[in-house]
Amino acid sequence: MKHIDIKDIQTKAEYVDTDVTVCGWVRTSRDSKNMAFLEMNDGTSLKHLQIVIDKSALDNYDFALKLGTALKVTGTVVPARQGSVEINAKEITLLGDCPADYPLQKKRHTLEFLRTMPHLRVRTNTFNAVLRVRSVMAASIHKYFQDRNYVYINTPLLTGSDCEGAGEVFKVTTIGYSDQYKSEEEYYSNDFFGKKAGLSVSGQLEGEVAAMAMGKIYTFGPSFRAENSNTPRHVAEFWHIEPEVAFAELDDIIEIAEDMIKYIVRDVMEKCPQELAFFNQHFEKGLIDKLQHLLDSEFEILDYTKAIEILKDAKKEFVYPVEWGCDLQTEHERYITEEVFNKPVFITNYPKDIKSFYMKQNPDGKTVAATDLLVPGVGEIIGCSEREADYDKLVEAMKARNMNMDEYADYLELRKFGSVPHSGFGLGFERIIMYVTGMSNIRDVILYPRTVGSIR
Ligand code: 4AD
C-alpha cells in the first residue's frame, strides 16, 4: 500500500503543498458545522497528524470519526499552527472499522488499567513514546560498542549451568508431569538433553569464552530469572547487555560503564526530544534536568565499607539493619544515591560472601573486585566485576560454594590456557529505560512483561 510515514510529512518541507497518502489509526476526532477534524497516527511520530474534512467536498466521512478506526487518507499537505502541517482530505478509505466498545475511548487511562490490555496499550501516547525511546536506546548501545571494536556475540539461551549459582533458573524439560521415574536423576537422563537444563540467567560465562579470543565482546539478548520478586523493578524475562573485556581491571570497566551510560543518555536526548518532553510533563517532573545533571557529573565511586559507615551514621531508621557483610537493600541504595550523592554511584569491593564465585578476590581476603551501579529513582542498573583469572583461587571459591566442578570444566580451562585479567558487566535494559523515561514500573517499559503469577 503506497503511503508516506506521518513523521516524514511532519518533518520534511518537501511535502508541503503536495498531495500525499497516509495510513494510520484515528486518535481524536471532532465534528463541527461545516468541517470535521480528526487526528491520526501511524506510530512513526509522537505527534498526531490532523486531517481536515470539508464536509461539502466529501460524501461520506462519518466512519472516519470513530476512535481506533484504521484509515487511508489522501489529501494536500498544508501549513498549520506553530510550524506544523495538516492534511486537507480529498479521499478517505476505511481500512478497519472500530466499534464503540474499543476500550481506549478516554484521553488518559491509568497505567494499571492499560496493563490489562498489552495488545492495545501500545496505541497510547505513553507506549508510543516508551517503545520509540527503547528502540533508539538499543541502536545507541550497539553503536557505542561497534564503534569501539567490540564484537557482538549471541550467547545460548538454553543452558546446562546456572551462571550466578543462585538457583533462579527456569527449568526446561520436554517430559512434564509423570510418575514414571523413580528419581530426579532418572527423570533428567530421559529428558531432551539427557541432563538438567534451563533458561540462561546471564550470557556472561560464554561471553568470557568469546572475550578470551575476540578481546572485547558484548551480548544483547534476553535473560531469565525465576526469582519470586514481585517488585516494580523485576521481570522474569529481561533484556541484558553484557560486555566482557580482556586486559581490563575493575577501574577500567568502571570507566567503560560510565562512558557507555553517558553516551546512551546523550544520544536519546538528541534523538528523542519530543518523547523526553512528554515524559518530563506526564511522568517525572525534572526528568530532563536529571539527565543533563547525569551528563555533567562524575559518577561517585564509593567503597562498600565506606557505604556501610555512611548508612550507620544516617539520621534515619532503616527497616533492614545495617552491618558490614549485609547485602544492601533498596532503602539503603536509595538513601545513598538519592539523599547523599544525588547522582549515580558505583559501590565497590563487596564482601565476597554475598557475591558470585567468579569475582576476583581482593588481597584483603574478605572482599571481591565487584561493583554495582546505583542510580536515583531506580537503584541498581548494573552488576559488574573483574573476574578471578587465577585457576587455584577460582577452584577454591567454587569449592567453598559446593559447586559441581565438572559442569564448569570449560570455564576453568580458560584460566589454564593463557588466562588474562578481564572484566565485564551486565546492564538491565529495562532498568535503564526506566531511568531515562521516568517510568516507575518495569511492567510499563516492555511490550509483554512476565512477572510472578502473570504471563499472557
Ligand atoms: O547483577 P546481575 O545479576 O549480574 C549478572 O547477571 C552478571 N552476570 C553480569 C555480568 O557481569 N556480565 O544482573 C545484571 C543486571 C542488574 O544490575 C539489573 O539491571 C538487571 O541485570 N537485572 C534485572 N532486570 C530486570 N528484572 C530482573 N529480574 C533482573 N535481574 C537483574
Side-chain angles (χ1 to χ4, degrees), residues 416-430:
K416 231 167 98 181
F417 304 133
S419 186
V420 297
H422 62 289
S423 303
F425 64 82
L427 167 67
F429 192 36
E430 286 74 24

Side-chain angles (χ1 to χ4, degrees), residues 22 24-31 35-41 49-55 58-74 89-99 102 105:
V22 291
W25 294 268
V26 176
R27 298 293 290 271
T28 68
S29 67
R30 187 157 53 90
D31 203 0
M35 311 287 283
F37 302 89
L38 61 90
E39 288 187 309
M40 59 191 276
N41 204 317
L49 178 67
Q50 173 149 283
I51 311 292
V52 182
I53 301 169
D54 177 350
K55 290 185 179 179
L58 282 185
D59 289 343
N60 181 7
Y61 57 87
D62 285 348
F63 66 87
L65 299 183
K66 288 191 276 177
L67 299 197
T69 298
L71 300 177
K72 183 168 104 168
V73 177
T74 301
K90 289 186 172 169
E91 191 183 344
I92 304 184
T93 312
L94 179 68
L95 298 178
D97 187 24
C98 190
Y102 178 55
Q105 297 288 345

Side-chain angles (χ1 to χ4, degrees), residues 164 202 204 225 227 235 242 380-383 387 425-426 428:
E164 303 297 314
S202 158
Q204 178 196 326
R225 303 229 173 150
E227 40 193 353
V235 272
E242 296 190 279
E380 182 197 325
I381 61 168
I382 279 181
R387 318 308 188 188
F425 64 82

Side-chain angles (χ1 to χ4, degrees), residues 303-363:
D303 199 273
Y304 168 88
T305 302
K306 181 84 182 107
I308 294 293
E309 280 169 24
I310 292 176
L311 290 167
K312 281 186 145 181
D313 290 345
K315 294 188 183 24
K316 191 177 175 136
E317 284 279 313
F318 293 115
V319 178
Y320 293 89
V322 180
E323 270 315 318
W324 198 95
C326 74
D327 212 351
L328 298 185
Q329 303 294 326
T330 307
E331 55 174 347
H332 308 137
E333 296 180 346
R334 293 192 71 156
Y335 177 76
I336 288 174
T337 186
E338 290 167 23
E339 294 184 42
V340 182
F341 294 102
N342 186 31
K343 63 177 178 175
V345 180
F346 286 103
I347 307 233
T348 58
N349 301 317
Y350 282 87
K352 68 173 195 275
D353 293 341
I354 57 167
K355 287 290 181 187
S356 299
F357 72 96
Y358 52 71
M359 296 177 174
K360 185 183 164 67
Q361 295 158 45
N362 285 329

Side-chain angles (χ1 to χ4, degrees), residues 163-164 168 201-205 219 223-227 229 233-244 355-356 358-359 371-373 380-385 387 423-432 442:
C163 165
E164 303 297 314
E168 297 163 351
V201 298
S202 158
Q204 178 196 326
L205 301 193
T219 71
S223 283
F224 306 89
R225 303 229 173 150
E227 40 193 353
S229 310
R233 305 183 310 147
H234 289 88
V235 272
E237 176 183 81
F238 68 97
W239 283 70
H240 209 172
I241 298 106
E242 296 190 279
E244 193 67 36
K355 287 290 181 187
S356 299
Y358 52 71
M359 296 177 174
T371 183
D372 285 349
L373 176 63
E380 182 197 325
I381 61 168
I382 279 181
C384 171
S385 64
R387 318 308 188 188
S423 303
F425 64 82
L427 167 67
F429 192 36
E430 286 74 24
R431 298 258 178 106
I432 179 115
I442 197 164

